[in-house]
Each structure stands twice: as C-alpha cells, then as structure tokens.
Amino acid sequence: MDLVINAARAVTAAGEVPATIGVDGGRIVAVEPAGAGLDGDRVLELGDDVVLLPGLVDTHVHVNDPGRTEWEGFASATRAAAAGGVTTIVDMPLNSLPPTVDVASLEVKRKTAEGRVHVDVGFWGGAIPGNLADLRGLHEAGVFGFKSFLLHSGVDEFPPLDARGLEEAMTELRTFDGMIIVHAEDSDAIDHAPDPHGEKYEDFLHSRPRGAENVAIAQVIELARKTGVRAHILHLSSSDALPMVESARRDGVRLTAETCPHYLSFTAEEIGDGATQFKCCPPIREAGNRELLWKGLADGVIDCVVTDHSPCTPELKRFDSGDFGLAWGGIAGLQLGLPAVWTQARQRGFALTDVVRWMAEHPAAQAGMRRKGHLAPGYDADFSVFAPDEAFVVDVAKLKHRNPVSAYHGRPLAGVVRSTWLRGEEITGEDPAGVLLTRGDC
C-alpha cells in the first residue's frame, strides 16, 4: 500500500477506536484493528493525543471568485479549509461575478478555480427569476443542487424567487431529481420589521425576527410536499422551526436542514454595540435559542453543521460607524468550524463521533457524495489529524483566509488540527492538489 496509518484513536464505523488504515491509489483500502500489521511504502504513527477523523465536508462556502476576489478567492479559501480539517467544500453560486446561474457562468468559475485549489471543490447552481430553462443544463454539467433566496440576497445580480417562482423551480427540479437549497427568510415579514440601522445589536436582531424564518420554512415545506422535490433549509437559526421540520419528515417530505458553528457558539446577549463582525443573516439569536439548536442536533432534526463562510473586506464590515444596517452580513469561519463546534459540543456531553456525523458524514450524504465523509474502505483517503485536548486563542492575523476579520477573534477554542490529508497526501498549502468535483463523480 502507498500509506499505512496506525492511529491510537480514529473515528470509524465502530466509533472512536484504535485502528490501522491502509491507503492505495488515493483511496482507503483497509480499516483494521490496531496492530493488524499492514505494510505500506509510508507508515504514519499517531499517538493517543490526536484522533484521526475523516476530512470534513463543508457544503456552504462563499468563495466569491471570480469578481470579488478581494473578499476571498479559491487559493485562500481552500488553504483555510485545509487548516481547519476540511477536505471538501461546495461553493455557493452568488457573490462571484458572474453568479453561477447557467452553464457558461459555471465554466467561468471552474476555469477560475482550476489549478488553484488545495482541497476538493464542488459547485452549487443558482435558481433565480428567468433562469428556469438553465436548471437542467446546470444539473447535467454537475452542480450539486440549486440555491434560491426568498428575499434580497445582498447582491443585485442574484435576485430572489417569489412564491410562484419557487414553485416553478421546484417543479422543474423534480423532473430530474434535482435538489433546492433555500435561504429561508420571508421578505414581507422583514419589510414590516423594525429598521436595522444603528450600533445596537438588539435593534438588528429585531429587524430579522424568528417569524421571518418560520414563515419561509413553512412555505418551503409545503411546496416541497406539493412538488415532491428534495429540499434543504440553509443556515437554520430559529429553533421555533424545528417542530415543523420534524413533522414534515414524519409526513414523508424530502427535507434536510443545516445550522452553523456561529449559531451554536455565540449568543445575542454577548454581542456588543458596533460589533459588526457578528452580523450575519439570519442573525445569531439568544442563548435559549442556541440551546434548542443543540437539542435539534441531538434529536437528529438538524442534519448538518456547515460554516456558511461568507467573508468580506474589513471596510464592508463598517467598523468606522458600527452600523449593523450598513455592514455586510457574513461570518468568516471556514478554518474554525471544527474547533468551534467541538468546544461547545464537549461541554454538552457530545463525542467526536457526533461532530464527525454532523460535519463530515451528513454533509457528504446531503450533497450526494459517495466517497467522502467516512473512514471506510472505498472512500477517498481524506483525513484530519485532530488534537481534541489542545487549546488556542483565535488570532485573525494567523488565519489563512484573505481578510483579517472574524467573529472568533480572541476567543479560546479547544481542538487543534495538526495536519490535513487529501487522497493520502498531506496538504502543505504550497502545491494545489485539489480537484473540481461534479455531482455523481465523488
């Protein structure tokens, strides 16, 4: 074999156990009990202070490339991913120019990414007004599904769908079993909410009420029920919606849901005036809401935890005025998702097997990836070597993403990624070895 890893601790189908992993040709070919005596050209010995995890799969990343590369870019984003134990990302269709709403724009994005990625990268398409005829072509070109908004997306070139447009898109996707992924906040509810401007986080929170999420999620559920399409709720932040999601699944609606590390880590009560690094949409809510999201994970109502990495330049965060209404909404967290979630999870009695389920196994399954997210024979040899008991304090100057802005700055976190491996080779950040993925081929 090309590589043998002897791990005192590894997260496999048997749980967290001692294991020997054999790799050949970039794939896992053997997972054996420790001491199995496998032979390899290279042998990696891991002590009991680290745990071998499957590489994480982050299906919600805004790379913003091409067109807004001053916000991020494929090289910096994928270095940050690798530094955080993430070996596969799926890029969102907006904030790049052009947005990924037809085959031609997908090809522009793929050409931009080619030869620049340090982890594997797939792409979502977009469902916007006027591109109904482009959806099948994008599906055939290999996108993993289609993102839509139910309110202004923040950029004019990616407009939202109204109720009729959403139903038409869902009906079209059902003809080829495509999946719709939805930013679920109701535009009418937000239009009638208080004004978001000012330095007080409480005012911003009131401008994006839970009810806006709840109404939109109910709409997605009922249209998914009607059309039979696969639907996925993005970045769920309102715990009020969890009973609706659970009920819909019992009824047979093909529905999944994700939340994000920042909703599981931060609380509205701790966000100070003018701290616009915490602005995101939907917003970070109250402490009680956070605990109910953790319960949703424990109960299996929330399937995945992904970062919604949405960086921007420092200027766009409007630190000059601290005005939440003017600041760009987005949390830069791609490199920090694993330690952020682990820090909170261990305090609540969860194990690394749970974190792997939420951040590797389920995101891979939700996107239809058949060779990602598990330490098992036949899967890609993508690994994270994670020291769960080592701690650090986040310093934005040491992060790999392009701009030194993050809500996690100064926060102590548990868990350090010692190394990340892609198809049996350690990622150094020097030679980009990631590949561009298409649906059905990974």
Side-chain angles (χ1 to χ4, degrees):
M1 285 175 257
D2 297 333
L3 172 69
V4 170
I5 302 177
N6 294 313
R9 302 163 68 187
V11 174
T12 72
E16 185 182 315
V17 296
T20 296
I21 313 293
V23 175
D24 199 59
R27 300 272 181 89
I28 298 171
V29 295
V31 178
E32 302 288 347
L38 300 181
D39 292 326
D41 295 336
R42 295 171 293 155
V43 177
L44 178 64
E45 301 283 349
L46 299 179
D48 60 8
D49 63 327
V50 295
V51 185
L52 185 69
L53 310 179
L56 303 188
V57 178
D58 193 337
T59 54
H60 196 151
V61 177
H62 294 269
V63 179
N64 311 325
D65 196 5
R68 291 189 173 97
T69 51
E70 70 275 15
W71 295 16
E72 189 59 277
F74 282 104
S76 56
T78 54
R79 283 193 185 97
V86 176
T87 53
T88 304
I89 67 170
V90 188
D91 173 58
M92 283 291 164
L94 72 156
N95 300 346
S96 57
L97 293 169
T100 315
V101 294
D102 54 33
V103 173
S105 59
L106 174 64
E107 286 307 306
V108 170
K109 183 165 281 193
R110 290 178 64 89
K111 287 178 181 177
T112 302
E114 189 72 49
R116 298 176 57 214
V117 297
H118 297 269
V119 303
D120 289 353
V121 178
F123 302 95
W124 297 109
I128 64 172
N131 83 326
L132 194 66
D134 295 299
L135 301 182
R136 182 179 289 271
L138 278 166
H139 179 79
E140 292 173 351
V143 299
F144 285 83
F146 298 87
K147 182 173 187 177
S148 64
F149 277 76
L150 304 184
L151 78 172
H152 193 278
S153 68
V155 291
D156 292 338
E157 67 272 6
F158 200 95
L161 294 174
D162 60 17
R164 179 178 177 182
L166 181 63
E167 182 174 352
E168 289 175 346
M170 286 181 161
T171 301
E172 173 66 11
L173 296 183
R174 184 67 181 90
T175 65
F176 49 82
D177 199 29
M179 176 171 54
I180 193 148
I181 64 174
V182 185
H183 181 125
E185 289 182 284
D186 181 74
S187 60
D188 187 61
I190 288 177
D191 286 344
H192 289 87
D195 187 273
H197 289 287
E199 296 183 8
K200 291 190 177 298
Y201 185 76
E202 184 179 6
D203 292 341
F204 170 66
L205 185 60
H206 290 158
S207 77
R208 313 289 293 213
R210 294 192 201 189
E213 263 193 279
N214 302 338
V215 168
I217 290 171
Q219 181 183 43
V220 172
I221 287 171
E222 293 314 308
L223 288 176
R225 189 193 311 274
K226 180 178 180 180
T227 61
V229 77
R230 289 185 293 147
H232 179 73
I233 303 299
L234 296 166
H235 45 48
L236 190 149
S237 81
S238 171
S239 61
D240 297 347
L242 294 175
M244 287 191 291
V245 173
E246 187 174 27
S247 175
R249 286 185 180 154
R250 284 199 304 268
D251 292 345
V253 178
R254 302 166 74 194
L255 184 70
T256 50
E258 70 184 39
T259 194
C260 304
H262 42 274
Y263 300 130
L264 299 170
S265 298
F266 304 121
T267 64
E269 293 89 341
E270 68 184 301
I271 299 174
D273 292 352
T276 53
Q277 66 270 30
F278 290 94
K279 180 182 176 180
C280 57
C281 300
I284 294 162
R285 303 192 188 277
E286 303 84 355
N289 181 82
R290 178 183 66 175
E291 297 314 307
L292 290 172
L293 293 178
W294 277 105
K295 186 176 187 302
L297 278 168
D299 294 343
V301 182
I302 299 173
D303 303 272
C304 312
V305 181
V306 291
T307 62
D308 188 11
H309 177 71
S310 186
C312 66
T313 62
E315 292 76 16
L316 286 173
K317 277 296 186 182
R318 296 306 303 265
F319 295 123
D320 56 339
S321 67
D323 190 326
F324 281 95
L326 296 177
W328 176 259
I331 304 286
L334 180 57
Q335 185 172 335
L336 299 169
L338 174 56
V341 172
W342 174 237
T343 298
Q344 298 293 323
R346 70 189 305 187
Q347 294 174 12
R348 292 166 175 81
F350 294 106
L352 277 172
T353 50
D354 299 308
V355 174
V356 166
R357 184 171 66 254
W358 302 327
M359 302 188 76
E361 296 172 10
H362 284 182
Q366 183 259 331
M369 298 178 184
R370 297 166 297 180
R371 297 199 307 269
K372 301 289 188 182
H374 292 266
L375 295 187
Y379 283 77
D380 287 350
D382 300 346
F383 310 122
S384 171
V385 178
F386 186 61
D389 298 322
E390 188 175 340
F392 69 105
V393 175
V394 178
D395 179 352
V396 291
K398 297 179 180 179
L399 299 179
K400 303 293 185 183
H401 64 251
R402 185 178 298 278
N403 289 293
V405 177
S406 176
Y408 295 96
H409 178 64
R411 194 172 184 89
L413 296 178
V416 171
V417 175
R418 295 273 182 85
S419 63
T420 304
W421 298 63
L422 184 68
R423 285 183 294 279
E425 299 292 336
E426 185 173 359
I427 300 172
T428 64
E430 298 297 324
D431 299 314
V435 302
L436 306 184
L437 305 174
T438 57
R439 189 201 67 263
D441 293 335
C442 59

